Amino acid sequence: MKTALWVAAGLLALTNIASAAEQGDWSFRAGPYTVNPESNNGDLVRVDDGVALGFDFTYFYSPNWAIEVLAATPFSHDINLIDGTAIGETKHLPPTFSLQYHFSIDGSFHPYVGAGLNYTLFFDEKAEGPLAGSKLELDGSFGLAAQLGADLDINDNWFVNAEVRYMQIESDAKLDGVVVTKAKINPLVAGITLGYRF
């Protein structure tokens, strides 16, 4: 905790010039994201946490309003039965489109909220353990998404970002073509990224 406070203080010391976004600005951010599915996210199975590199592009069509596209390298998840028995694994990609509102606050701290639509594509599903030899499939999912975050300026162009997202992700889990359960993943997604404004 003390280290985090010293880092934050150091970043604030570097912010000599406030750099609010203007109409026509773009920003790019990249960094680690973790996907934390809700507990008890299925009647028969649970999907574990996953970590991957996330990145996004944001376009400001006014100083306050922006459109963002979020993408990532594949997240990997273990799939377990309720009792903890490992039965498979999967990967997914979570492209998300959001409309953001950035609050008008003087200084180097720029909070925002956003809402939009997520599509989750599952792939490379593999059955293992007691289900080894069976074909495991997870259907793609469309759902709502919401976010809360903030940018902290380092200088005119560079900034750090922290945010939390909620994504509505529910998928039919199929075994050998038969739906066996609905996985209600609905994760909280947290990320800390480095951004560049241009």
Side-chain angles (χ1 to χ4, degrees), residues 40-178:
N40 301 320
N41 48 52
D43 296 331
L44 298 175
V45 301
R46 290 180 180 172
V47 181
D48 286 346
D49 298 351
V51 179
L53 175 67
F55 48 92
D56 63 67
F57 287 94
T58 303
Y59 173 73
F60 287 82
Y61 61 90
S62 81
N64 297 105
W65 291 98
I67 298 173
E68 179 204 61
V69 179
L70 170 72
T73 58
F75 289 87
S76 296
H77 299 274
D78 292 327
I79 303 172
N80 304 316
L81 292 176
I82 295 298
D83 65 6
T85 302
I87 59 170
E89 60 184 59
T90 186
K91 295 180 180 179
H92 88 269
L93 290 172
T96 304
F97 299 86
S98 299
L99 175 65
Q100 297 177 334
Y101 181 80
H102 293 252
F103 296 93
S104 297
I105 297 177
D106 291 336
S108 60
F109 181 69
H110 309 290
Y112 62 88
V113 294
L117 182 66
N118 163 263
Y119 176 72
T120 300
L121 172 67
F122 294 94
F123 60 99
D124 281 357
E125 300 99 322
K126 297 178 182 177
E128 57 187 37
L131 299 183
S134 299
K135 183 179 181 181
L136 176 65
E137 296 176 89
L138 292 171
D139 287 347
S141 168
F142 279 103
L144 299 178
Q147 62 183 155
L148 173 65
D151 298 326
L152 181 63
D153 292 340
I154 298 173
N155 56 36
D156 281 346
N157 299 107
W158 291 96
F159 60 93
V160 292
N161 170 272
E163 68 173 10
V164 177
R165 300 171 184 257
Y166 171 80
M167 294 183 180
Q168 187 180 49
I169 303 175
E170 299 185 2
S171 174
D172 287 334
K174 299 177 181 177
L175 194 62
D176 294 328
V178 178

